[in-house]
Amino acid sequence: MIEFKLPSLGADMDEGTLLEWRVKPGDAVKKGQVIAVVDTAKAAVDIECWQDGTIVELLAEVGQKMPVGTVMATLLEAGEKSLPSLPASLPQGERGGSQLPSPLAGEGLRERGNAPAQRRMISPAARKHAAEKGVDLDSLTGSGPHGAVILADVETAAAQGAAAASRPAVAATTEVPSAEKGAARIAAMRQAIATAMARSKREIPHYYVSEDIPLARALAWLQTANSQRSMAERLLPAVLLLKAVAVTLRGYPELNGWWRDGSFVTAERSNPGVAISLRQGGLIAPALLDAGSKPLTQLMQELTDLVQRARAGSLRSSELTDGTITVTNLGDQGTQTVFGVIYPPQVALVGFGRIVERPWAEDGGLKVLPVVTASLAADHRVSDGHRGALFLRELAELLQHPEELDKEAS
Amino acid sequence: MTQADIRAVVLATLQSIAPEVETDALSGDRPLRNQVDLDSMDWLNFLLGLNKQLKVEIPEADYRKLVTLDDVVAYLQAKVG
């Protein structure tokens, strides 16, 4: 018997509220399958199962607020026989080994499509919109693939509902609570960020290095590549930078992983968490899994999807737990330099400022080139400034060969 | 399409990307991205939305022409014809 506990979804998350079960007792579940949706201070998170099994009992109730580590359900391992005499809820303890979802449970990305037929498929955007508008999802007929309820269905239902109801009364009763809820969510998000960042500054001895990287070649390469692509397939410089970080990290395992229980654990792959600012304030840094081995086109699609879902408040648990480093990119509206605060239990953060044309001295001459300042904040318990500096120099060198970054698999 | 039609499409697309924006408060002749917080991904999605609705291809080389709201509307109108 396995106890499925509410996993920690990051240093800034210590409790969650169960919004929905996606499984019922008797269901076979696969590793990476979404079994529940839990609301946190930052987003509604699709909780993925970390191994194959069969659901025995659902212990957590919808609407229940629970701390990380709460046993939410019990499962039988594949091949394990049901033991009716066994109490359904085992005492809290070391049973079942690590209760964290396995790192790199990237299968979740693909498992989604072949979910059991009996499960109602509702897009995260639809769910969020329905909650905001008070639309009953059970009453809707889905018009998406395989009968999935999509945002348009909810919008139609919300519009019909609003038209049918007497307007002034509805507006008065629904808008006030939703604004209050929004304010409460922003306050919770600020508190979550405060907790994680205070812990980081208290526990992690940060050191910082930075390097100006000329991007003339990278941007020229990107311009040529984009001129041959349709608008929907165009690449942003951010994708090139992310891939370059992930590839360079291969030679610097001491920057890629987690500080856990007093020692450093190197991650096998690099899953850069992408800091995404949210429109209502605050930020979240879900991971792009195994970014180093993915072609740029795929990374761009995944980044677009990640930003959209982060802003819609719908992410998967593996995306919040599997980040091995954070990349913050201020983009073209930002300042030239950013020094970040490491997101525990990670041990490093790479920051990119705005790309700007600057005077650049080279080979005894002076040119004007697009340049980005890359910075590294890293954990001195694990690495030293010398290695951190080498990492940035190697990153700068790799970005002079952008074509290398577009190899299908490297 | 009239200029007003195109402007309506542009504002609706903008609002789908940045729901908090008050379109009435935007000045047509000031840089759009000084008035609305759009990062590079938002900007790409904004142009992509216009591309889908108006069937207008916007080459990257033309981005620099699209600074103010009025620029965007005029550019699209010239393309839509």
Side-chain angles (χ1 to χ4, degrees):
Chain A
M1 189 83 77
I2 312 160
E3 292 180 321
F4 186 87
K5 294 178 184 173
L6 177 63
S8 168
L9 300 171
D12 44 10
M13 187 261 187
D14 52 12
E15 61 179 18
T17 303
L18 180 62
L19 292 180
E20 184 191 351
W21 277 113
R22 293 284 193 85
V23 289
K24 57 183 186 318
D27 283 358
V29 294
K30 284 200 165 358
K31 179 180 164 186
Q33 182 178 334
V34 175
I35 64 170
V37 184
V38 168
D39 202 21
T40 72
K42 288 193 166 183
V45 181
D46 287 350
I47 304 290
E48 297 160 300
C49 199
W50 72 87
Q51 70 173 88
D52 293 356
T54 305
I55 303 287
V56 177
E57 193 180 2
L58 303 179
L59 301 168
E61 285 174 17
V62 171
Q64 183 184 338
K65 195 175 221 181
M66 56 204 157
V68 166
T70 302
V71 180
M72 298 174 66
T74 51
L75 284 82
L76 285 177
E77 264 180 278
E80 191 183 354
K81 288 264 165 51
S82 174
L83 297 171
S85 60
L86 204 69
S89 171
L90 295 172
Q92 297 254 9
E94 294 307 304
R95 286 167 192 270
S98 164
Q99 302 301 337
L100 286 170
S102 102
L104 310 170
E107 287 84 349
L109 289 166
R110 290 177 293 278
E111 299 286 346
R112 290 206 129 199
N114 35 32
Q118 70 269 24
R119 194 176 92 201
R120 194 76 199 276
M121 285 189 288
I122 304 164
S123 83
R127 177 175 296 106
K128 179 165 183 283
H129 198 63
E132 285 168 1
K133 297 284 177 186
V135 172
D136 178 14
L137 285 167
D138 291 338
S139 68
L140 299 186
T141 309
S143 65
H146 308 290
V149 176
I150 57 174
L151 184 58
D153 300 326
V154 178
E155 281 174 344
T156 307
Q160 285 167 351
S166 79
R167 277 167 193 281
V170 167
T173 51
T174 57
E175 276 178 20
V176 173
S178 114
E180 271 174 16
K181 205 180 159 193
R185 185 169 269 283
I186 290 167
M189 155 104 45
R190 281 262 58 96
Q191 185 55 48
I193 294 170
T195 305
M197 295 297 99
R199 177 184 152 195
S200 173
K201 282 285 186 170
R202 197 166 55 238
E203 295 178 4
I204 303 176
H206 287 62
Y207 70 84
Y208 306 93
V209 284
S210 79
E211 174 78 353
D212 293 338
I213 303 177
L215 287 184
R217 281 184 198 168
L219 295 187
W221 181 86
L222 211 52
Q223 197 176 20
T224 308
N226 281 344
S227 68
Q228 292 154 7
R229 288 164 177 257
S230 72
M231 282 186 76
E233 290 183 325
R234 262 174 223 168
L235 303 171
L236 290 173
V239 169
L240 215 53
L241 298 176
L242 271 168
K243 171 101 187 234
V245 167
V247 170
T248 308
L249 278 171
R250 289 186 189 137
Y252 297 83
E254 67 268 54
L255 300 175
N256 188 56
W258 309 276
W259 181 269
R260 278 191 183 137
D261 303 325
S263 66
F264 177 65
V265 184
T266 295
E268 230 171 275
R269 296 181 242 186
S270 59
N271 308 327
V274 185
I276 297 168
S277 67
L278 303 176
R279 294 209 158 267
Q280 67 272 27
L283 81 163
I284 193 162
L288 269 180
L289 303 175
D290 201 13
S293 66
K294 288 175 178 165
L296 291 171
T297 304
Q298 184 184 351
L299 266 189
M300 180 68 200
Q301 285 163 356
E302 291 187 11
L303 180 66
T304 307
D305 176 57
L306 202 62
V307 171
Q308 273 170 2
R309 285 189 295 110
R311 293 212 167 126
S314 173
L315 294 163
R316 288 184 277 269
S317 52
S318 56
E319 291 166 339
L320 293 178
T321 53
D322 292 357
T324 59
I325 188 168
T326 299
V327 176
T328 184
N329 190 336
L330 293 188
D332 47 15
Q333 300 292 87
T335 54
Q336 291 185 22
T337 313
V338 55
F339 289 101
V341 180
I342 298 167
Y343 184 61
Q346 296 168 13
V347 298
L349 179 147
V350 176
F352 291 104
R354 178 166 47 104
I355 301 169
V356 276
E357 287 199 327
R358 294 189 221 171
W360 188 262
E362 197 175 78
D363 301 330
L366 195 58
K367 307 174 190 172
V368 176
L369 295 178
V371 174
V372 72
T373 300
S375 71
L376 172 76
D379 187 336
H380 226 320
R381 295 173 299 186
V382 186
S383 64
D384 301 313
H386 175 64
R387 288 285 293 166
L390 287 176
F391 167 78
L392 284 186
R393 293 293 302 276
E394 198 170 318
L395 177 69
E397 182 55 32
L398 181 57
L399 282 166
Q400 306 316 307
H401 306 281
E403 67 288 345
E404 297 283 317
L405 290 169
D406 200 32
K407 286 180 181 163
E408 283 304 298
S410 38
Chain B
M1 281 181 102
T2 67
Q3 195 174 359
D5 292 338
I6 291 177
R7 199 178 183 89
V9 172
V10 170
L11 291 177
T13 308
L14 189 62
Q15 207 147 31
S16 73
I17 310 275
E20 77 282 2
V21 72
E22 289 174 38
T23 50
D24 294 345
L26 294 175
S27 327
D29 55 357
R30 282 180 50 217
L32 187 58
R33 292 176 74 179
N34 290 357
Q35 302 176 73
V36 186
D37 184 9
L38 297 173
D39 63 22
S40 52
M41 174 91 59
D42 295 330
W43 182 249
L44 184 59
N45 284 332
F46 171 59
L47 298 182
L48 208 50
L50 295 174
N51 160 263
K52 277 186 190 145
Q53 290 180 68
L54 300 171
K55 311 279 176 273
V56 168
E57 193 64 29
I58 309 172
E60 223 177 17
D62 286 352
Y63 286 9
R64 72 177 82 115
K65 298 180 193 165
L66 308 173
V67 178
T68 67
L69 189 59
D70 292 347
D71 291 343
V72 175
V73 173
Y75 176 87
L76 293 171
Q77 189 163 31
K79 287 247 177 177
V80 172

